[in-house]
Amino acid sequence: MEYTERALKEVIAGVQPADREVMAKAEKRQAELAKPPGSLGKLESISIQMAGITGSLNNRIEKKRVLVFAADNGVWEEGVASSPQSVTMAQTVNLTKGLTGCGTLCGHFGVDLQVWDMGVKLPYRCEAVINRSIAKGTKNLYREPAMTRAQAVQALMTGVEAAERSCQEGMHILGIGEMGICNTTTSSAVLAALLGTDAAAVTGRGGGLTDAAFEKKKRVIDEALALHRLDRNDPVDVLSKVGGFDLSAMAGAFIGCARYRIPVVVDGFISIVAALVAVRLCPAVRDYLIPSHESFEKGYALACRELGFEAYLNLGMRLGEGSGCPIAFEIVSAACAILDHMATFAEAEINDDYLEDIRGKDSFTVNS
């Protein structure tokens, strides 16, 4: 695969919106199923979205994969994380062994887990990790650009590669996760740049910080944004100056999923920032994104609102890694089963004339 900006533009040009004609057919069938109108809520909207992505009313989610992109971030030098960089290395390996939170959930639900090394700093030995390391971590964004523009494009195209490979291997759905100490700092910086706001509006404590370290984290982000004079209308510029190799690859994976018409689940904060980057680069990508859980991080709600999303789960989760994806896969599978197997009123031999007065409006909500 070619890792150039020209190749990235070609991939983006190949992304098509979801099939609105098939979505209309799915919506019509949902209205005919033997149930009160709209009574299955978000399961109905998910099934309609899935139909538009795949071009079929009948979908089964059997081959599932979470892609985890791992990398270290040079801004760690500024003391904005509570964990040492050795955690990135250790958990990158542990993910492949099913020993982390995401790894355990993937094993429990029978989900394939693939880990891509985009720039882990410390050495390790693990053949299960796919090595696409660009460098041993990014530069320190507080003092210089995190990476070159060419490196950002390389990371984006590696994400596209991961999605293409998954498509070739017959995956029905993907989830996008990450592993990298300080990536809530890079994600907050990227989100602040894209939204034109300051660090305080988007930054949380990540994996846990003292009050002093938290204040420093926000100051580091604000000063980095001022230093680099980012072009918020150019997501690649933003990624290269204050992003991470993992975040960039995740954005590329979202674009790749749209290019190859694969439904893709967004995990938590870092994942949704990557999704926003992807949509800024290619608006049609939004049709392929399925949110999972509401993140604890402050910026998650802002990114969600910017994308017009509402999380399907609120479990108080704040782990990352892609841990929300295996759970969300089960919800998507349930939504597809409804459209695939549930009987219509006609098939169930039920006269539905009694519903005429309540079709097409909310006849369920009680206002107090």
Side-chain angles (χ1 to χ4, degrees), residues 197-269:
T197 188
D198 63 5
V202 301
T203 306
R205 292 178 182 261
L209 289 173
T210 64
D211 289 346
F214 181 44
E215 291 305 313
K216 184 174 185 180
K217 179 179 181 178
K218 290 183 285 186
R219 178 174 58 79
V220 164
I221 292 170
D222 279 334
E223 292 185 13
L225 294 175
L227 170 68
H228 297 304
R229 299 181 181 179
L230 303 163
D231 182 357
R232 61 178 296 199
N233 296 313
D234 181 0
V236 178
D237 180 66
V238 173
L239 285 174
S240 68
K241 291 174 178 174
V242 296
F245 294 140
D246 50 354
L247 183 64
S248 302
M250 294 164 78
F254 284 122
I255 294 171
C257 286
R259 172 63 181 84
Y260 298 105
R261 303 192 75 87
I262 305 171
V264 58
V265 171
V266 182
D267 186 40
F269 175 58

Side-chain angles (χ1 to χ4, degrees), residues 99-154:
L99 300 177
T100 71
C102 182
T104 297
L105 289 169
C106 284
H108 176 72
F109 287 113
V111 174
D112 184 67
L113 176 60
Q114 207 172 69
V115 183
W116 293 62
D117 177 357
M118 298 303 303
V120 177
K121 182 176 181 178
L122 299 178
Y124 62 89
R125 295 181 63 182
C126 181
E127 293 182 359
V129 175
I130 298 170
N131 184 6
R132 292 292 186 277
S133 180
I134 295 172
K136 297 301 181 183
T138 56
K139 303 289 187 181
N140 183 349
L141 62 85
Y142 181 63
R143 303 180 183 281
E144 60 184 312
M147 63 190 97
T148 65
R149 187 178 182 93
Q151 287 176 323
V153 170
Q154 181 180 348

Side-chain angles (χ1 to χ4, degrees), residues 315-331:
L315 301 173
M317 294 175 65
R318 50 190 179 273
L319 174 62
E321 300 180 10
S323 53
C325 299
I327 303 170
F329 290 163
E330 297 304 301
I331 295 173

Side-chain angles (χ1 to χ4, degrees), residues 4 30 46 56 64 70 80 121 132 156 185 188 191 207 211 227 240 265 284 286 293 301 316 322 339 350 355 360:
T4 65
Q30 277 288 359
I46 293 171
S56 173
K64 302 163 283 189
V80 293
K121 182 176 181 178
R132 292 292 186 277
L156 282 159
T185 300
S188 296
L191 181 59
D211 289 346
L227 170 68
S240 68
V265 171
R286 187 191 179 283
H293 67 97
L339 200 59
I350 298 172
L355 291 173

